């Protein structure tokens, strides 16, 4: 790790004099491109952070509940680096996840909430690139959570679970109205396609007992376990088809100026 950071530092130091010697007119000069080695070093640094390792341990120990507790503790009691570490861990375990046996839809929700907070901080500081990146990631993560959570709710044998999911989602979308203006329609459609593919590509996931127990039956019985649903695949297919149109309509609706 020290060698990676040292290499990045040396390359930056060597490049600096050359950049100064080749100054051009401010109107024609191009912005310097980010050094990929620096980006790799930064990501490796985040992944070797103790907070990142603690999140790994939490996921192995107790899944989303332990991860949520660890995130809350680390973000409340750590320094400014903890947010970056948390985002990297959540991205690695959502959009960057390779091992489908570790798929957990709640990580998308955690990522959406954290990126929403970071977008608010970025706009307060006038950091528009960070604002755009955080806002768009928050929206994409929420779309993934929505379609998978609603598909999971179909196996809960409890209609109130779907209602609970929507009650969690709707205010989050309202808070992310600005993000619908960050993405173009083409970028948004691609995000919708990717979310639908996330749901379709993780058909082997187990019944989401945490989600099922968030409904009325789960509140009445902490150990509630739904009976198997035979037509779950058909229900998922129907949901994915419906969402192709629902999300397209939502894009235009959320870009409208909100009435007072």
């Amino acid at each position: 790790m020290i060698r990676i950071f040292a290499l990045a530092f040396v390359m930056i130091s060597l490049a600096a004099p050359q950049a100064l010697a080749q100054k051009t007119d401010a109107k024609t000069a191009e912005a310097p491109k980010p050094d990929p080695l620096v980006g790799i070093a930064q990501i490796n640094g985040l992944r070797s952070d103790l907070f990142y390792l603690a999140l790994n341990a939490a996921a192995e120990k107790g899944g989303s509940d332990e991860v949520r507790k660890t995130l809350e503790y680390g973000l409340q009691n750590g320094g400014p680096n903890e947010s970056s570490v948390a985002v990297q861990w959540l991205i690695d375990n959502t959009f960057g996840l390779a091992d489908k046996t570790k798929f957990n839809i709640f990580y998308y929700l955690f990522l959406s909430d954290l990126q929403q907070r970071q977008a608010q901080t970025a706009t307060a500081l006038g950091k528009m690139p960070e604002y755009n990146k955080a806002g768009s990631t928050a929206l994409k993560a929420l779309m993934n959570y929505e379609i998978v959570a609603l598909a999971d709710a179909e196996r809960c044998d409890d209609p109130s679970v779907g209602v609970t999911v929507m009650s969690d989602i709707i205010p989050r979308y309202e808070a992310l109205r600005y993000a619908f203006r960050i993405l173009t329609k083409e970028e948004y459609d691609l995000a919708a396609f990717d979310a639908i593919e996330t749901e379709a590509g993780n058909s082997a996931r187990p019944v989401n007992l945490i989600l099922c127990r968030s409904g009325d039956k789960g509140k009445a019985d902490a150990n509630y376990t739904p009976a198997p649903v035979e037509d779950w695949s058909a229900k998922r297919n129907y949901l994915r088809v419906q969402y192709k149109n629902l999300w397209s309509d939502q894009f235009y609706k959320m870009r409208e100026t909100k009435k007072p």
Side-chain angles (χ1 to χ4, degrees):
M1 181 58 62
I2 293 176
R3 292 180 62 189
I4 294 176
F5 277 109
L7 178 59
F9 177 79
V10 169
M11 293 193 69
I12 293 173
S13 299
L14 291 174
Q18 183 178 2
L20 290 173
Q22 298 178 353
K23 280 188 177 181
T24 58
D25 186 270
K27 294 182 180 180
T28 59
E30 294 183 359
K33 296 181 179 180
D35 190 328
L37 287 179
V38 174
I40 292 171
Q42 290 173 340
I43 292 176
N44 286 339
L46 296 175
R47 288 173 176 160
S48 64
D49 191 275
L50 290 177
F51 187 32
Y52 191 101
L53 300 179
L55 289 167
N56 280 341
E60 292 293 332
K61 178 183 178 182
S64 59
D65 278 345
E66 286 298 321
V67 168
R68 176 181 53 77
K69 294 175 185 177
T70 304
L71 281 170
E72 290 175 352
Y73 182 85
L75 293 173
Q76 290 175 4
N77 298 282
N81 194 51
E82 266 63 25
S83 290
S84 297
V85 173
V87 168
Q88 187 63 55
W89 190 92
L90 289 168
I91 288 177
D92 288 346
N93 286 273
T94 52
F95 297 111
L97 184 66
D99 185 355
K100 291 187 177 182
T101 64
K102 296 182 178 180
F103 179 78
N104 192 311
I105 191 55
F106 290 110
Y107 298 160
Y108 284 93
L109 189 63
F110 299 161
L111 176 60
S112 180
D113 288 346
L114 181 54
Q115 288 282 259
Q116 160 65 351
R117 292 198 294 271
Q118 289 194 321
Q120 292 175 330
T121 300
T123 190
L125 297 174
K127 297 182 177 181
M128 297 312 295
E130 290 84 352
Y131 165 82
N132 291 336
K133 182 178 180 180
S136 60
T137 301
L139 177 57
K140 293 174 184 178
L142 186 59
M143 293 168 71
N144 276 264
Y145 174 77
E146 179 180 16
I147 187 113
V148 178
L150 288 177
D152 283 350
E154 292 291 343
R155 287 201 285 186
C156 294
D157 191 28
D158 183 352
S160 69
V161 175
V163 175
T164 299
V165 171
M166 293 308 299
S167 67
D168 287 339
I169 290 172
I170 290 174
R172 285 179 166 89
Y173 273 125
E174 282 296 325
L176 284 169
R177 272 184 173 268
Y178 68 89
F180 286 84
R181 294 186 176 276
I182 294 174
L183 299 176
T184 65
K185 184 59 165 60
E186 290 74 17
E187 290 169 336
Y188 179 82
D189 287 343
L190 179 59
F193 174 82
D194 289 342
I196 289 172
E197 285 296 297
T198 295
E199 198 288 318
N202 288 278
S203 59
R205 62 189 185 272
V207 175
N208 193 330
L209 292 177
I210 294 178
L211 189 72
C212 289
R213 291 169 182 170
S214 68
D216 293 340
K217 293 184 178 180
K219 292 175 182 177
D221 177 8
N223 297 314
Y224 171 68
T225 302
V229 176
E230 295 181 359
D231 60 345
W232 186 52
S233 179
K235 291 180 178 180
R236 290 168 55 226
N237 290 337
Y238 177 78
L239 185 68
R240 290 195 298 268
V241 170
Q242 292 299 306
Y243 260 80
K244 290 179 181 179
N245 293 326
L246 287 173
W247 270 335
S248 183
D249 292 342
Q250 177 178 250
F251 177 80
Y252 295 109
K253 180 180 178 181
M254 297 300 282
R255 284 170 66 95
E256 294 175 356
T257 303
K258 189 175 182 181
K259 296 180 180 179

